[in-house]
Amino acid sequence: MKNLISVFMILTIFFSTGFLDTTASEKSNKDMIENPEKYLKITDWKFYVAARVAIIHHVKIENTADIDYKNIRVKVEYYSNYPKYNRYLSSTSGVLPITVAANSNELYLRGGTTLGAGSMAYIAKNIKIIGVEPILK
């Protein structure tokens, strides 16, 4: 009887900690699919405007998830070029046609890609990830 209680207590501890629970990894994958913004972070990027076309290049993205993502949709915010005012003016958005590998910290788009409309009179300051496509294997 003592051994039966001991075995029951050990199994209870394993299941409560998730050690034997196979759904713990499923829950984690579900979170990576539904909330990719928790796992993707743009740490560096370059941006310029040529003939009113916004070009983004040398984008460094960190992915802490265990799954790959593709077609990263971003939004870049434009601010006034005058330091005295420094106000938000507009934004542009587009898709980065890349695949970001799981658990990586890589530099993408060295050659650049068009992002949308732009103006040389604006300063591009903030970039936000507004959508991604998870790659499910």
Side-chain angles (χ1 to χ4, degrees):
M1 184 69 170
K2 223 183 212 186
N3 290 338
L4 185 61
I5 292 173
S6 297
V7 168
F8 179 73
M9 291 178 73
I10 290 172
L11 287 174
T12 303
I13 291 170
F14 282 152
F15 279 108
S16 66
T17 60
F19 185 75
L20 294 177
D21 189 7
T22 57
T23 60
S25 65
E26 292 171 8
K27 288 178 186 176
S28 177
N29 281 348
K30 184 178 179 185
D31 188 51
M32 290 177 202
I33 293 166
E34 293 177 354
N35 302 301
E37 65 279 354
K38 287 175 156 181
Y39 303 96
L40 286 175
K41 182 179 178 185
I42 296 177
T43 57
D44 194 21
W45 55 289
K46 307 284 189 240
F47 189 86
Y48 67 93
V49 176
R52 297 185 189 160
V53 176
I55 309 290
I56 189 166
H57 61 101
H58 289 86
V59 181
K60 190 167 189 177
I61 301 177
E62 180 181 0
N63 181 5
T64 58
D66 294 333
I67 61 174
D68 300 344
Y69 297 104
K70 67 179 181 177
N71 297 330
I72 313 299
R73 264 193 2 227
V74 295
K75 177 180 176 182
V76 174
E77 296 178 342
Y78 294 128
Y79 287 79
S80 168
N81 200 11
Y82 302 104
K84 181 178 178 182
Y85 301 110
N86 194 24
R87 295 192 179 165
Y88 171 78
L89 296 174
S90 180
S91 66
T92 190
S93 60
V95 176
L96 306 181
I98 58 175
T99 299
V100 180
N103 298 306
S104 66
N105 191 7
E106 304 275 333
L107 187 64
Y108 300 93
L109 301 171
R110 287 183 173 92
T113 189
T114 58
L115 192 61
S119 172
M120 294 175 66
Y122 299 162
I123 296 174
K125 281 193 176 182
N126 299 326
I127 188 166
K128 297 176 186 176
I129 295 174
I130 57 174
V132 300
E133 291 179 41
I135 299 175
L136 305 175
K137 297 177 184 177

